[in-house]
Amino acid sequence: MRSLILAALLLGTAAAAQPAANREAAYDAQISSADQMAWLKTMAAGPNHLGSPHNQANAALIEKMFREWGWQVKRADYQVLYPAPVSTALALVGPVAKTLGGQEPGIPQDATSNSLAGALPPYVAFQGDGDVTAPVVYVNYGLPADYEALARRGISVKGKIVIARYGAGWRGLKPKLAQEQGAIGCLIYSDPQQDGYGSADTYPNGGGRPPAGVQRGSVLDMITYPGDPLTPGVGATKDAKRLTRETAPTVLKIPTLPISYADATEILSRLKGAPVPNDWRGGLPFHYRFGGDDSVQVHLKVQSEWSLKTISNVIATLPGSSKKDEWIVRGNHYDGWVFGASDPLSGEVAMMSEAKGLGALWKSGWRPKRSIVYASWDGEEPGLLGSTEWVEEHIAELRQKAVVYINSDSNGRGFLGVDGSGQFTALIGKAAADVKDPQTGASVADRWRAGVRAKAFDGLRGNPAALAAAELAADQPMDALGSGSDYTAFIHHAGVSSINIGFGGESESAGSYHSIYDSYDHFVRWDDPGLVYGAVLSKVAGRMVMRLADADALPVRFGPVAGAARSYFGEIKTLIDNRRREDDKRAALSADIYRLGSDPRDPLGPPPPKTPTPALDLAVLDAAITRLDGAAKAFDAAIAAKEGSLTPAQTTALNGKLRDIEQTLLSPSGLPFRPWFRNILYAPGRFTGYGSKTLPGLREAVEERRFDDATREAGIAAKALGDYADRLNEAAGLLK
């Protein structure tokens, strides 16, 4: 017995002391596409919406497996407002009577699509219940520019039901803006130009959305704040103080339904009125018109059951050894709209592979220096509920301990995509260089570079920074984070540096998105056959986690952050210059010129008057970015010179300066109109939703012609970037 114990101790000591390359090879040996295929088939076998029995079974399965792999596991439960659909109704009542809507039909080649007991019908969460009948107006994407185009034609949506197509901006903006314009109902459909036969053969012959496919989703006003609408800024624990549903600003007021393009055809093909502009036309086989008269009327009814529901995050930890109170946090959600094979379970099973591999290393004796926290989030789809409530409850501890949050969501086939805090650019580049792309045998990093260069001149891609990096064989630049997944509360509210990672570009999952066809059969046929890229995601993300957890000094370089800030500022200066020239030319146009310059059958009035763009004094922000650039260069040079020779005291002090540096980017007052969002460098756009806006306070003030706000926001951004530069200078001083 003593000899067996001694052998086990020696094995554990050897595992703990093995070189990082050997440890990563041992980790890779645990990563299995076959595992992921089996988990995906099990976890996508039933409806996985918030509160469903199958979603709860998946949570229990995740918890059980993490425990078996050696992790310390606990649940983090919250009580959140969630409107479960009771009934939905949609019918064309004029010029003919026809029932529309309802559950999508199953497909013989897709097993789960024919097993819909307990599945949600097509609906959107957090719309307003109601029962309305009214004429219909087609509003294109339903964004501000579209309503301006309608106003120039004298078309009002007041008292009408609008129909908008998905795309160009986040779905929740469409009913929000419609209700602000006086509409009493909203329909949103997936035009085949975007994700149906315009992009791919339709399922089951390809991955494109079939005619009856519907994109569910949330229309919670997450641009104001995500998470439980009743507990903004605090965790939705049992005893939390709550708003009422009526006073919650993120719950919409008008009934809204998503519909298929088959049903949209029944409405749009009958609309009268003037033809729409060319860029309003989708892929349906008829001439699109505005509508708005009484000839086409629709009945829309939505009723939900509004009550508090329990969501359950699964939180697993491998405690750190020497730096236990520094956390590397990794997350993916596990709830879906129906089966959720692509979104989110393709990312979840990849993360589970990571947990299995890290657990095997733990059992063999490895002890990471920093604590590793893996989170499987619940309630992401209705409004980033699980992650937001966890961050809001633990925000003080996260600000003290979290080094980085690494997120994934859907995963697919093709090229690596990364977004987030730029100081980790080199870390990701090295991890990607050490993992092979399964289709080509090149490294993930080299395939990304080849893809950017090969597509740079064919009109498919046009990112100058990415092309320059690829041509120089440099690391892949990181795009700014907007919203739409669980990193949102970490980076935009708590100030925790964040990374979002995944593969794609060659998948056909867009046509299954948020429908009953987001299934195991669809995913393994059209998105990631064999889940080979699931394994690649596990290997890249796992390397990032291990290298961050075991680094003495955090592996960060700040040149990319300063370069991005300079680039963002340059874009805004160009915007201002272009706007001033346009404003001067617009001022010379009379109403008569607009009358003469438009088609008499589609007369256009002048656009609404716009406040002329002044010459803005942004010198304070320019100076702050110059300071940041100098501080970043000085730090990066100093840390490179000290590579491998830092004393323990220097390392500890350096980590203390850099771990929470993202928090210096938080605005004390938050962004205009949405103070929950506080990061001055990036945020989801007020009128894009998922898409990011960089230097958002300043940029959006210029775009929206709030010029007093622009000057103030430039000063706030300058102060934050100056504080960031000061922190870097202090860190560089520690290296002397």
Side-chain angles (χ1 to χ4, degrees), residues 187-414:
L187 302 173
I188 315 172
Y189 80 100
S190 297
D191 196 286
Q193 184 185 78
Q194 275 73 51
D195 66 0
Y197 50 74
S199 62
D201 289 330
T202 57
Y203 192 52
N205 298 318
R209 192 179 299 273
V214 183
Q215 182 190 141
R216 294 156 181 78
S218 176
V219 295
L220 184 74
D221 185 10
M222 289 188 281
I223 309 307
T224 298
Y225 59 86
D228 175 41
L230 305 186
T231 58
V234 298
T237 56
K238 181 179 179 181
D239 299 324
K241 185 177 179 180
R242 287 174 163 81
L243 304 175
T244 65
R245 171 188 158 198
E246 291 71 25
T247 59
T250 57
V251 177
L252 300 191
K253 308 301 182 185
I254 63 174
T256 303
L257 272 184
I259 63 174
S260 68
Y261 60 83
D263 282 343
T265 296
E266 298 290 344
I267 300 170
L268 292 171
S269 66
R270 291 180 166 90
L271 293 182
K272 308 296 184 183
V276 302
N278 286 338
D279 59 356
W280 282 43
R281 295 171 187 164
L284 293 171
F286 49 78
H287 209 43
Y288 289 54
R289 295 179 181 275
F290 290 110
D293 62 20
D294 292 340
S295 62
V296 178
Q297 299 227 6
V298 163
H299 173 230
L300 167 63
K301 180 181 179 181
V302 184
Q303 181 182 354
S304 305
E305 184 274 315
W306 297 79
S307 65
L308 297 184
K309 312 290 195 303
T310 299
I311 57 171
S312 188
N313 301 323
V314 182
I315 309 295
T317 304
L318 294 178
S321 55
S322 58
K323 298 176 174 65
K324 183 177 181 180
D325 287 335
E326 295 182 20
W327 296 355
I328 310 302
V329 188
R330 170 81 172 94
N332 200 102
H333 73 100
Y334 67 90
D335 67 300
W337 279 111
V338 191
F339 304 110
S342 171
D343 180 15
L345 295 176
S346 60
E348 178 69 19
V349 297
M351 192 178 80
M352 290 165 65
S353 274
E354 297 165 32
K356 180 182 178 183
L358 295 173
L361 294 177
W362 177 274
K363 289 182 177 181
S364 72
W366 170 66
R367 296 294 180 266
K369 294 174 183 175
R370 293 179 177 84
S371 295
I372 299 173
V373 180
Y374 268 47
S376 291
W377 307 115
D378 195 6
E380 189 267 3
E381 294 294 0
L384 314 180
L385 302 177
S387 57
T388 299
E389 299 315 311
W390 190 77
V391 169
E392 289 179 339
E393 183 185 15
H394 299 284
I395 191 167
E397 189 174 20
L398 285 166
R399 285 178 173 166
Q400 292 174 356
K401 298 177 180 180
V403 172
V404 65
Y405 173 67
I406 301 171
N407 187 72
S408 58
D409 205 314
S410 301
N411 193 56
R413 182 173 68 90

Side-chain angles (χ1 to χ4, degrees), residues 590-721:
S590 65
D592 198 48
I593 289 176
Y594 285 107
R595 180 183 62 81
L596 293 174
S598 63
D599 186 336
R601 293 171 298 181
D602 181 24
L604 281 177
K610 299 180 186 295
T611 304
T613 304
L616 295 171
D617 183 2
L618 303 178
V620 63
L621 182 54
D622 197 348
I625 293 173
T626 299
R627 280 182 59 209
L628 174 60
D629 185 60
K633 288 176 179 175
F635 173 82
D636 289 355
I639 193 67
K642 296 287 285 187
E643 196 90 55
S645 62
L646 292 173
T647 67
Q650 283 179 312
T651 299
T652 299
L654 188 66
N655 290 337
K657 290 292 181 186
L658 300 180
R659 180 196 52 73
D660 62 350
I661 193 169
E662 194 90 26
Q663 293 176 39
T664 65
L665 298 177
L666 298 183
S667 166
S669 57
L671 297 179
F673 308 108
R674 44 187 178 142
W676 187 94
F677 288 91
R678 300 181 59 196
N679 198 306
I680 62 92
L681 200 54
Y682 16 64
R686 287 215 309 140
F687 298 109
T688 59
Y690 288 161
S692 65
K693 291 286 186 179
T694 51
L695 289 172
L698 171 60
R699 185 185 296 269
E700 291 185 329
V702 172
E703 290 174 344
E704 299 166 23
R705 299 176 184 268
R706 296 181 282 105
F707 298 115
D708 289 342
D709 286 353
T711 301
R712 185 186 68 251
E713 291 298 318
I716 291 171
K719 171 66 167 60
L721 293 175

